[in-house]
Amino acid sequence: MSKAQLTRTGILRMALGGGAADPLLPAEGGGGRRAPFLLRALRIAVVVCLYWFTSIAMVFLNKYLLDSPSLRLDAPLFVTFFQCALTAALCLGLSLGAACGPPCSGLPTLRLDPKVSRSVLPLSAVFIGMVTSNNLCLKHVGVAFYNVGRSLTTVFNVLLSYLLLKQTTSLYALLACGVIIGGFWLGVDQEGAEGTLSWTGIFFGILASLCVSLNAIYTKKVLPVVDGSIWRLTFYNNVNACVLFFPLMMLLGEFRTLYHFDKLGSPSFWGVMTLGGVFGFAIGYVTGLQIKFTSPLTHNVSGTAKACAQTVLAVIYFEETKSFLWWTSNLMVLGGSFAYTWVKGLEMRKAQEDPNVKSSERNETGV
């Protein structure tokens, strides 16, 4: 997941997990008859494939925009700014299309309220750190190592949950985090042994992991400001980000870089930029679809399998040769992530079935 992937995915998953209804997603339950098993299985397979395709394609597109030898564009903040601007525009466009009826009839009307924008600003600062560090990590490391480079999100989730929310974690979940940390350091060691290690990329990968965890916590705090609407939050977040990116791009000299960029007037360049932004916006929607048609636990398992497929595809596409220990590091990260997801799923189920568990504890386990 690059920039937009972690952002829209993380926010939308929190909203869906918290019970917020999404007007673009199919309603759960209903009074009608359930579809036949074969039809439901086919529908789930299509949704999972759509999620995999959107997520993987977005990472490869962003890698091209951020670090392509043929493109030679050294302006990662501009790429991120453009995708945020496109996301805000798509949110506004869908809101305006609400008058046209289904499937957008349930979308809230979007208008820019300066007071709300200021209330969302702390989250927007974390949001900018998240999307920027994700893109900078992808710029400096290969797609094959990208998943390992940002693998400490789960570890930061546990750490920040304890420091900020005073939530404890079970021993089995901590052991899974230990496996992830071991896989991360083994991956760093093997990248160094192969001469492809970028400490800049590692730094931004760790920073991205931290910001993703902080983003989830601040999102939960800020959602009441926008009446619990994930669409309003996405709109305000991206509008604020666009404003904040301008001084950063000026400070880092990216406007000068764009002035001398020889493909600035190329339709193909803007086509790829637009496609990357559309994929970044779409990943939140297809993530929501996958959760609706399966479950949050199944979605996490699917995400782990997708990360494995993405790594294999990157090694094949870029014609890389990796050592046994390098592959072992990836398997440790993926295995630890899967184990953590499984343990938390079991704990959540146990908390929901135990009548003696407080409601607040059930919610904390679910989050």
Side-chain angles (χ1 to χ4, degrees):
M1 286 182 178
S2 70
K3 155 238 138 169
Q5 183 174 8
L6 284 172
T7 161
R8 283 126 195 145
T9 298
I11 296 176
L12 186 58
R13 280 170 60 187
M14 276 202 65
L16 290 172
D22 192 315
L24 289 182
L25 298 177
E28 289 184 304
R33 293 179 302 173
R34 295 190 67 186
F37 172 77
L38 188 60
L39 179 60
R40 285 186 286 118
L42 179 62
R43 189 163 53 185
I44 290 173
V46 170
V47 169
V48 171
C49 289
L50 182 62
Y51 167 76
W52 280 39
F53 171 77
T54 304
S55 180
I56 294 175
M58 185 182 64
V59 172
F60 277 87
L61 273 173
N62 280 340
K63 182 62 177 178
Y64 170 78
L65 290 169
L66 294 165
D67 192 37
S68 171
S70 60
L71 193 62
R72 299 190 306 276
L73 175 62
D74 187 20
L77 292 184
F78 170 71
V79 173
T80 312
F81 160 80
F82 181 84
Q83 293 180 347
C84 289
L86 186 59
T87 296
L90 287 172
C91 286
L92 186 60
L94 286 172
S95 176
L96 293 175
C100 301
C104 299
S105 58
L107 285 173
T109 301
L110 296 178
R111 63 181 182 86
L112 193 60
D113 186 338
K115 183 178 180 181
V116 176
S117 183
R118 286 194 299 269
S119 299
V120 177
L121 196 58
L123 173 63
S124 299
V126 176
F127 174 82
I128 285 180
M130 180 180 68
V131 296
T132 302
S133 54
N134 268 284
N135 271 357
L136 288 173
C137 175
L138 183 59
K139 175 180 174 64
H140 292 285
V141 305
V143 176
F145 186 70
Y146 183 53
N147 180 61
V148 174
R150 299 176 306 107
S151 61
L152 296 182
T153 299
T154 300
V155 178
F156 280 117
N157 282 342
V158 171
L159 184 61
L160 292 178
S161 293
Y162 178 75
L163 293 177
L164 301 180
L165 304 177
K166 305 305 178 184
Q167 296 176 10
T168 57
T169 304
S170 68
L171 176 61
Y172 290 117
L174 289 176
L175 289 175
C177 290
V179 174
I180 294 173
I181 295 173
F184 172 80
W185 283 115
L186 180 59
V188 170
D189 176 74
Q190 290 304 297
E191 285 285 303
E194 295 179 3
T196 55
L197 178 64
S198 168
W199 283 109
T200 303
I202 296 300
F203 169 77
F204 283 116
I206 296 174
L207 182 61
S209 301
L210 173 61
C211 288
V212 169
S213 299
L214 286 173
N215 185 75
I217 293 174
Y218 277 99
T219 295
K220 186 177 180 181
K221 293 182 177 180
V222 172
L223 268 175
V225 176
V226 290
D227 301 322
S229 171
I230 193 63
W231 289 100
R232 286 196 180 100
L233 183 61
T234 301
F235 175 71
Y236 278 105
N237 233 352
N238 283 276
V239 169
N240 284 349
C242 290
V243 175
L244 294 174
F245 268 126
F246 264 94
L248 292 175
M249 289 190 293
M250 188 176 299
L251 184 64
L252 296 178
E254 290 201 1
F255 287 113
R256 189 184 308 109
T257 301
L258 291 171
Y259 180 78
H260 295 288
F261 182 52
D262 58 352
K263 296 181 177 63
L264 193 61
S266 170
S268 60
F269 165 71
W270 289 108
V272 175
M273 285 281 287
T274 302
L275 188 60
V278 170
F279 272 120
F281 177 81
I283 188 63
Y285 176 58
V286 296
T287 297
L289 277 179
Q290 183 167 249
I291 293 174
K292 285 283 186 178
F293 282 111
T294 58
S295 69
L297 176 61
T298 305
H299 164 71
N300 287 334
V301 173
S302 173
T304 301
K306 186 275 305 180
C308 181
Q310 178 178 293
T311 300
V312 174
L313 285 173
V315 170
I316 295 173
Y317 179 80
F318 293 106
E319 298 179 347
E320 299 173 344
T321 302
K322 300 298 183 182
S323 66
F324 173 77
L325 287 178
W326 187 93
W327 287 108
T328 302
S329 71
N330 277 265
L331 290 176
M332 288 177 66
V333 167
L334 294 173
S337 300
F338 174 81
Y340 180 85
T341 299
W342 187 263
V343 168
K344 298 304 286 185
L346 291 177
E347 291 176 357
M348 181 175 64
R349 185 181 306 172
K350 181 179 179 181
Q352 290 173 342
E353 292 175 353
D354 189 349
N356 296 321
V357 177
K358 297 179 181 179
S359 175
S360 60
E361 292 176 351
R362 289 195 186 98
N363 292 335
E364 288 175 357
T365 306
V367 172

